[in-house]
Amino acid sequence: MQTPVSGFSKLSKEEKIDWIVSQYFNHNSEAKNTLTAYWNQDEKRQALHDDFIENTISNYYLPLGVAPNFNINGTLFTIPMAIEESSVVAAAAKAAKYWGARGGFKTEILGEEKIGQIHFIYSGNGEKLFPFIEEIKPKLLEDVSTLTANMIKRGGGITGISLRDKTAELEGYYQLHLQFHTVDSMGANFINSCLEAIAKRLQFYIGEDSRFSPEEKAVEIVMSILSNYVPNCLAKAWVRCPIDALEEEEGMSKHEFAEKFVRAVTIAQLEPYRAVTHNKGIMNGVDAVVIATGNDFRAVEAGVHAFAARDGHYASLSKATIEGDDFCFELTLPLAIGTVGGLTKLHPLVKWSMELLGNPSAKELMQIMVVAGLAQNFAAVRSLVTSGIQKGHMKMHLLNILNQLNANANQKEKAIEYFKTTAVSFSAVEQFLQNN
Ligand code: MEV
């Protein structure tokens, strides 16, 4: 059994690695070499990455790919995507080309509202609390003016405060529910700082007011925190074209394809088992852009899936319809992301990705992300209702299998040619390498 370590975070990087290697890798120097092989040779750059988190011991690489030819509202974008799944970037690029030839993607922003809540317990007369909050609202806003001044200058700030009575769900439970506009920042730090300051002032104002009894004055602030559920921070993307303008698919007419596609999306609206996978496919595209642009993919994931269940059952985030002679496909996503603050200026590849996208505003980046999700979803459902997903997926996975089997450059070249017309599987590739 390993011995517990104390003061681990105070050890140097080398000391941390040596401790891990002695405890978990039987002193095997290979384990250390694996970590050091991924250190950046540029010490300054490595130090930057070391400082992102505590106890950094190495760098964890993900490929950064790009999907070109995204026509979004008439502007062409090459979208950066950080992801390990082999077929995702290829699928995005294919969908971009497909819709580029059919009018491109259209987008709009349906809202930018962020939410934060102060959860507190008040054991008293609720009727008294509502007018009191209305009364102190201007004071609460004034009290955090040093925190909000810059945001207000940039066009944002706190846009609403309301009291919510949750005592039917939990005894004494009330919320101050706040709305924020954080312009180009995701705003987590801004929102949480405002909430914590306002919570203290709320306690103070109740505490010093003679209209409240000693019992009522004993307000307990349980917590003050932003919500990652942002159903009013929405970006929508859609594509539309005459069914006759769709591409010819093998073994079915264009109308059959359109109808089968719509049916597949309808199934994802009705059936949660399918909806989760359908939405996972959407998030393949979204997360890759969220990560490449240094945004918080956990926040986006949490918010998106809550949104998918907003009607009380988990459903598809996208919608496909046939309207007259047109095939229509759309996606609306809640996306609390930012283009300033966080890692955006710190991580060199994030900065690069932002530059590639023309240094977008948060609103513009939300639109690019929702397009990446729609494109990914189109590519996945198109494959599913035609050739099946494995054909394209295994083609892209072929290189991983070849690398795993230590194929040389010549074998790789031959294998890629051979498997253009043969189904890819681990054993088929193994067999091929034995004979080539
Ligand atoms: C795989 O990463 C994503 C898909 O399963 C999505 C889908 O089924 O729609 C292909």
Side-chain angles (χ1 to χ4, degrees), residues 14 54 101 220-221 238 240 258 280 288 292 329 377:
E14 264 93 349
E54 184 158 285
E220 181 199 346
I221 304 291
W238 67 95
R240 180 182 187 128
K280 187 273 183 185
F329 189 36
N377 193 210

Side-chain angles (χ1 to χ4, degrees), residues 210-238:
S210 59
R211 286 170 288 180
F212 292 98
S213 68
E215 200 197 16
E216 288 171 331
K217 285 180 179 182
V219 165
E220 181 199 346
I221 304 291
V222 182
M223 58 191 157
S224 308
I225 186 74
L226 95 170
S227 172
N228 291 124
Y229 184 45
V230 282
N232 295 318
C233 184
L234 298 175
K236 177 177 172 181
W238 67 95

Side-chain angles (χ1 to χ4, degrees), residues 60 70 168 224 235 239 250 277 301 352 422:
Y60 184 97
F70 270 93
S224 308
V239 287
E250 221 179 282
T277 317
E301 282 279 341
W352 184 91
T422 310

Side-chain angles (χ1 to χ4, degrees), residues 4-77:
V5 60
S6 64
F8 184 75
S9 66
K10 307 270 181 321
L11 299 178
S12 71
K13 191 152 72 170
E14 264 93 349
E15 286 167 338
K16 282 175 189 146
I17 293 174
D18 288 342
W19 181 82
I20 293 166
V21 171
S22 72
Q23 294 288 307
Y24 295 95
F25 293 88
N26 204 15
H27 299 273
N28 182 350
S29 59
E30 256 318 291
K32 180 169 182 171
N33 294 344
T34 302
L35 294 174
T36 56
Y38 283 85
W39 286 1
N40 200 293
Q41 295 314 305
D42 178 338
E43 279 181 25
K44 234 174 111 189
R45 186 171 299 140
Q46 185 54 56
L48 179 75
H49 287 268
D50 287 350
D51 287 347
F52 285 154
I53 58 166
E54 184 158 285
N55 297 340
T56 307
I57 50 174
S58 190
N59 306 303
Y60 184 97
Y61 287 6
L62 276 183
L64 175 67
V66 291
N69 300 321
F70 270 93
N71 175 341
I72 306 178
N73 303 325
T75 303
L76 270 186
F77 289 90

Side-chain angles (χ1 to χ4, degrees), residues 174-199:
Y174 290 84
Q175 292 170 353
L176 263 197
H177 185 91
L178 283 87
Q179 285 122 305
F180 295 84
H181 180 24
T182 59
V183 197
D184 285 326
S185 64
M186 184 216 178
N189 286 329
F190 168 70
I191 293 173
N192 290 335
S193 301
C194 289
L195 292 172
E196 287 183 6
I198 289 176

Side-chain angles (χ1 to χ4, degrees), residues 152-326:
I152 290 170
K153 243 187 253 162
R154 283 160 38 205
I158 299 173
T159 54
I161 304 184
S162 54
L163 179 69
R164 293 184 170 188
D165 182 344
K166 306 292 261 183
T167 51
E169 284 141 81
L170 178 69
E171 201 184 331
Y173 174 30
Y174 290 84
Q175 292 170 353
L176 263 197
H177 185 91
L178 283 87
Q179 285 122 305
F180 295 84
H181 180 24
T182 59
V183 197
D184 285 326
S185 64
M186 184 216 178
N189 286 329
F190 168 70
I191 293 173
N192 290 335
S193 301
C194 289
L195 292 172
E196 287 183 6
I198 289 176
K200 284 205 182 95
R201 298 308 289 164
L202 171 70
Q203 236 173 351
F204 169 79
Y205 287 126
I206 293 180
E208 69 157 17
D209 198 296
S210 59
R211 286 170 288 180
F212 292 98
S213 68
E215 200 197 16
E216 288 171 331
K217 285 180 179 182
V219 165
E220 181 199 346
I221 304 291
V222 182
M223 58 191 157
S224 308
I225 186 74
L226 95 170
S227 172
N228 291 124
Y229 184 45
V230 282
N232 295 318
C233 184
L234 298 175
K236 177 177 172 181
W238 67 95
V239 287
R240 180 182 187 128
C241 77
I243 294 175
D244 284 339
L246 291 168
E247 209 165 289
E248 202 72 61
E249 304 290 341
E250 221 179 282
M252 64 177 86
S253 73
K254 293 174 182 180
H255 276 81
E256 279 166 348
F257 167 72
E259 276 162 18
K260 202 170 173 193
F261 192 104
V262 169
R263 205 167 299 129
V265 179
T266 307
I267 288 171
Q269 269 152 7
L270 305 171
E271 165 54 53
Y273 278 95
R274 173 57 200 148
V276 172
T277 317
H278 180 92
N279 290 344
K280 187 273 183 185
I282 291 172
M283 297 315 287
N284 275 344
V286 176
D287 279 338
V289 187
V290 171
I291 295 172
T293 56
N295 276 287
D296 182 343
F297 63 92
R298 289 85 55 208
V300 170
E301 282 279 341
V304 160
H305 295 294
F307 187 68
R310 67 193 177 285
D311 294 332
H313 80 109
Y314 190 93
S316 162
L317 289 155
S318 62
K319 208 168 109 187
T321 48
I322 293 172
E323 288 172 26
D325 293 330
D326 284 359

